[in-house]
Amino acid sequence: MRRGLRTTLLAVALAVVCIPVQARAEAFVNPWAGLVFGNDQAATGFHSLGVSFGDAGHGLVGTETTIVIAPGFFGSGVENYILDLMAGFTVGPTFGTKTDHDTRPYGLIEGGTIRTSIEGIGTGAAFARSNIGLAVGGGTTVALNDRLLLRGEVRYIKAFKSIDAANSLNANLENFHYWRTAFGLTIH
């Protein structure tokens, strides 16, 4: 778990450093906390933390990269986590309101990798694997001022070619999928 957390923190730091230095109103960073559900094996609750960054633009199409860690995804029986890194597109118009603050409803599609890790107990089977994944969803950003926005979204995440494998939690990993909602502050 510690190695996964260090990897995630390094990836987040790298992501923040890679954002263009020149200030652009379209570029954004969105740290958030999320709720996972929709998988019988998952421990429902705020089990995911992440950061999204990209360029929403003021046009119809934007780009986005998302880095997420969900420690304790399968509960607290043993150390376990889900780590995903995805990139893709958002599609949605930007609307101005009477107070000149923008609102942007959007749909999204992202592809990337989903890493699943479950530590072993005693003679239990330790398990780690990475699958190609897809996320589809949507959400809304609402501007608080010129630099800060509130953002909320829901995503369906699916791992492809995920087959069941022995693990210390006896979690069924065949056809692995789940839903996630996320809430955060977006910084332009």
Side-chain angles (χ1 to χ4, degrees):
M1 174 65 191
R2 290 182 186 179
R3 191 170 91 206
L5 186 56
R6 281 186 293 210
T7 302
T8 300
L9 292 176
L10 179 62
V12 168
L14 181 62
V16 170
V17 169
C18 290
I19 292 177
V21 174
Q22 179 183 2
R24 292 179 30 187
E26 296 86 7
F28 69 90
V29 175
N30 173 232
W32 53 265
L35 173 79
V36 296
F37 61 97
N39 181 311
D40 293 339
Q41 314 281 321
T44 301
F46 277 97
H47 287 285
S48 59
L49 299 169
V51 63
S52 299
F53 59 93
D55 185 349
H58 280 303
L60 190 60
V61 178
T63 59
E64 180 171 299
T65 300
T66 304
I67 303 167
V68 182
I69 187 158
F73 183 91
F74 297 104
S76 59
V78 296
E79 294 232 3
N80 66 88
Y81 66 88
I82 302 294
L83 178 69
D84 66 72
L85 171 62
M86 297 202 183
F89 299 96
T90 61
V91 178
T94 301
F95 300 104
T97 63
K98 292 179 183 177
T99 59
D100 292 324
H101 292 172
D102 293 338
T103 300
R104 183 175 188 249
Y106 61 89
L108 66 88
I109 186 165
E110 292 183 355
T113 185
I114 300 172
R115 179 160 180 85
T116 307
S117 176
I118 301 172
E119 296 297 321
I121 297 178
T123 60
F127 173 80
R129 75 162 171 219
S130 296
N131 290 94
I132 299 297
L134 179 71
V136 178
T140 300
T141 59
V142 177
L144 300 174
N145 59 36
D146 291 342
R147 304 302 256 163
L148 291 175
L149 297 94
L150 286 176
R151 181 174 177 169
E153 70 177 33
V154 64
R155 295 178 184 219
Y156 174 75
I157 297 122
K158 174 157 179 47
F160 291 100
K161 295 188 179 182
S162 58
I163 57 173
D164 201 13
N167 60 76
S168 60
L169 290 176
N170 292 321
N172 182 356
L173 301 170
E174 186 174 5
N175 194 25
F176 186 68
H177 62 95
Y178 60 98
W179 288 83
R180 179 177 66 228
T181 59
F183 305 96
L185 271 179
T186 300
I187 305 161
H188 275 278

